[in-house]
Amino acid sequence: MSFKFGRLNKLRALTYTNPGKLNKTILTNMISGLTSLTTLNVYNMYLGYIPDTTLVQCFQKLKKLNRLFLATVNLETLPDGIFDNMRRVYYLNLFNNRLVYLNSAVFRNMKSLVTLILSQNRLVYIDATYLITLKNLKNLALKKNNIKCNCDLRPFRDWLNHAASQNITLNGGVLCNSPPSLKGTPITSYETLWIDCDNHVVIVIVISVTLLLILVLIIAFAVVYFWWDIKYFWIVRRSKRNGYEHLPDVGNDEHYDAFVSYNHEDSHWVRTKLLVNLENEDFNSLRFKLCLHERDFIPGAFIADNIVNNMDRSDEMVFIISHSFLNSSWCSYELDVAQQKVMDDKQNMIILVFLERIPKRELPRKLKRIMRHVTYLDWVEGDRARDIFWKKLKIALHSKHEEY
């Protein structure tokens, strides 16, 4: 049977129900001409066979509609544009349909909408973007849907939590239907792990780069902090591999690794510190033979001859600098002889060790000049600092072993 309401252009409200299929012709004839309609109630029938274009054309004519009921009519989708001319609708009931997904643009012109009922559908996902545009919305019903609480739903969850502060009533509450671990959990309180929701590739790259940078920094710090330990260990290992030994004595022509120049007031430091650390028999240490004036100078010979001869027999010349050294004429003489030997041999053979902190303005000019060109070390406090001091000194002395 075909219904025509063309002459009922003054009709304000219409309720239509028919437990069966509503075809294209019936729907078109029924709605055509009802330009004054403010309430339309269509329920308990099947609109699934009507083309989307027909639905859009029919409903676009209902510009004065305030209330629209499309309950239990088996709608599976809402075509784009179906509600575009319904700017006055404040009540929309889509109860008990088969809606799985709502196009984000379907409610774009429904600025007057106050109540939206979507209960008992098959909605899996709710796009929060179209809800944000409904500024007058006060009542929302979403009970008994198939909401999947995953990462994509987080914007809708956040909108719901914000909606409570905007006096929007959520009729019946909204619960997660899946995944199984979250089933029955209120959407407003479900949580997901950030690692599940964010871009895994970016996360992996960021974490990998961060760990790599941390590793590089740790290695760099370790190398800087233990640099002298590493260098010293390498030299010791190489010396053992190459079978390094002290040069043997040939007659009275004694050979020394280093000539030590110091003032007698510093002899206690030389005996208890320098000799102990450089001439010991430790298998894991580099061992050196030193020339000390109080021990190795030939008795009865001129001091100057002893100085020159023993410097000639030494690979290096170590000067123990202190205030006492600077005030000693013999120490000054030894420094002059060493400078001359460096110029004659054209080799850097001088190592300076400062036992005290001496302002540069108190240093003699020749010592300042030497400091610009040779190795010098400061004797410092602290176990770690002293360990590095001895390793630096041994490495400096060892450099000559490979040349002789």
Side-chain angles (χ1 to χ4, degrees):
M1 182 182 293
S2 178
F3 298 89
K4 289 188 177 181
F5 296 89
R7 296 182 179 181
L8 300 178
N9 55 7
K10 302 285 186 182
L11 186 66
R12 306 293 296 273
L14 173 64
T15 297
Y16 183 85
T17 179
N18 181 11
K21 298 178 181 178
L22 186 64
N23 60 39
K24 172 180 177 181
T25 303
I26 295 176
L27 181 65
T28 303
N29 291 338
M30 181 180 72
I31 295 180
S32 179
L34 300 181
T35 55
S36 299
L37 203 63
T38 59
T39 300
L40 176 61
N41 185 354
V42 180
Y43 70 93
N44 196 25
M45 58 174 33
Y46 197 91
L47 296 181
Y49 287 116
I50 298 179
D52 289 349
T53 53
T54 301
L55 286 174
V56 172
Q57 291 173 359
C58 290
F59 283 104
Q60 280 185 343
K61 298 175 182 179
L62 305 177
K63 297 181 180 180
K64 294 183 180 181
L65 206 62
N66 299 134
R67 294 161 57 87
L68 176 60
F69 298 78
L70 293 174
T72 317
V73 292
N74 295 286
L75 282 174
E76 296 181 0
T77 61
L78 292 176
D80 187 19
I82 189 173
F83 300 138
D84 276 2
N85 288 339
M86 296 186 181
R87 291 179 171 83
R88 298 183 182 183
V89 171
Y90 63 84
Y91 183 94
L92 176 60
N93 190 331
L94 297 170
F95 173 81
N96 194 28
N97 282 288
R98 299 182 179 182
L99 298 172
V100 176
Y101 174 77
L102 297 178
N103 189 321
S104 59
V106 74
F107 301 115
R108 58 194 167 200
N109 290 334
M110 303 188 78
K111 307 300 182 183
S112 301
L113 192 61
V114 174
T115 299
L116 175 60
I117 298 176
L118 293 167
S119 300
Q120 290 190 219
N121 277 276
R122 300 177 182 178
L123 293 172
V124 174
Y125 169 73
I126 307 292
D127 189 348
T129 56
Y130 68 75
L131 294 173
I132 294 173
T133 63
L134 303 178
K135 302 298 183 182
N136 293 311
L137 187 66
K138 295 299 178 184
N139 300 289
L140 177 63
L142 284 166
K143 189 176 181 180
K144 294 186 178 180
N145 275 283
N146 298 330
I147 303 298
K148 185 176 182 179
C149 294
N150 55 15
C151 300
D152 296 333
L153 199 69
R154 288 184 300 174
F156 176 63
R157 177 201 62 190
D158 296 339
W159 179 87
L160 284 179
N161 288 321
H162 177 72
S165 63
Q166 302 298 316
N167 297 320
I168 297 177
T169 302
L170 192 61
N171 297 325
V174 188
L175 304 179
C176 298
N177 188 65
S178 64
S181 59
L182 293 174
K183 188 170 183 177
T185 303
I187 289 181
T188 52
S189 60
Y190 90 93
E191 294 292 342
T192 56
L193 296 175
W194 65 271
I195 197 169
D196 293 333
C197 295
D198 297 314
N199 190 315
H200 290 185
V201 175
V202 174
I203 292 173
V204 170
I205 292 175
V206 170
I207 292 177
S208 300
V209 171
T210 301
L211 291 177
L212 181 61
L213 288 176
I214 292 174
L215 180 61
V216 169
L217 289 174
I218 291 174
I219 294 174
F221 175 80
V223 169
V224 171
Y225 188 78
F226 295 105
W227 171 247
W228 291 106
D229 303 83
I230 297 170
K231 189 172 183 179
Y232 180 72
F233 174 78
W234 174 251
I235 289 175
V236 172
R237 296 288 296 176
R238 188 172 57 182
S239 297
K240 292 177 181 178
R241 186 175 62 250
N242 295 338
Y244 165 74
E245 297 178 357
H246 289 287
L247 291 176
D249 298 341
V250 181
N252 293 325
D253 192 11
E254 189 82 14
H255 181 84
Y256 301 102
D257 294 311
F259 176 92
V260 183
S261 173
Y262 60 97
N263 184 269
H264 67 91
E265 293 186 11
D266 301 318
S267 60
H268 177 73
W269 183 89
V270 172
R271 291 194 305 271
T272 61
K273 304 294 184 184
L274 191 68
L275 290 181
V276 171
N277 283 278
L278 297 187
E279 286 193 344
N280 65 61
E281 299 291 337
D282 187 354
F283 177 77
N284 292 319
S285 297
L286 295 174
R287 185 165 56 89
F288 303 93
K289 188 169 185 178
L290 306 179
C291 178
L292 309 180
H293 67 264
E294 58 187 273
R295 184 187 67 181
D296 300 306
F297 277 14
I298 299 175
F302 288 109
I303 295 177
D305 290 340
N306 268 317
I307 292 172
V308 173
N309 291 336
N310 283 293
M311 281 189 178
D312 286 340
R313 298 187 186 116
S314 302
D315 295 338
E316 297 277 348
M317 294 169 287
V318 179
F319 291 86
I320 311 302
I321 310 298
S322 65
H323 285 94
S324 300
F325 181 95
L326 298 180
N327 295 327
S328 170
S329 58
W330 279 115
C331 290
S332 178
Y333 174 74
E334 289 175 341
L335 195 59
D336 291 335
V337 174
Q339 282 186 280
Q340 186 61 47
K341 182 173 175 57
V342 167
M343 288 186 290
D344 292 342
D345 295 349
K346 295 183 175 57
Q347 292 183 12
N348 181 12
M349 306 168 64
I350 296 176
I351 299 174
L352 302 179
V353 175
F354 284 83
L355 285 186
E356 303 168 349
R357 291 189 178 276
I358 304 174
K360 284 192 176 182
R361 64 178 180 275
E362 298 180 15
L363 298 176
R365 183 177 302 173
K366 60 183 176 183
L367 190 56
K368 291 180 183 178
R369 184 169 56 251
I370 293 174
M371 289 175 64
R372 290 197 295 267
H373 303 286
V374 304
T375 301
Y376 68 92
L377 301 170
D378 292 311
W379 176 249
V380 291
E381 298 296 331
D383 294 340
R384 174 62 184 167
R386 289 187 179 181
D387 181 54
I388 293 177
F389 169 86
W390 291 119
K391 285 174 178 173
K392 286 183 177 180
L393 182 55
K394 290 178 181 179
I395 289 171
L397 290 172
H398 181 269
S399 62
K400 285 299 177 182
H401 295 335
E402 297 177 345
E403 300 177 13
Y404 287 86

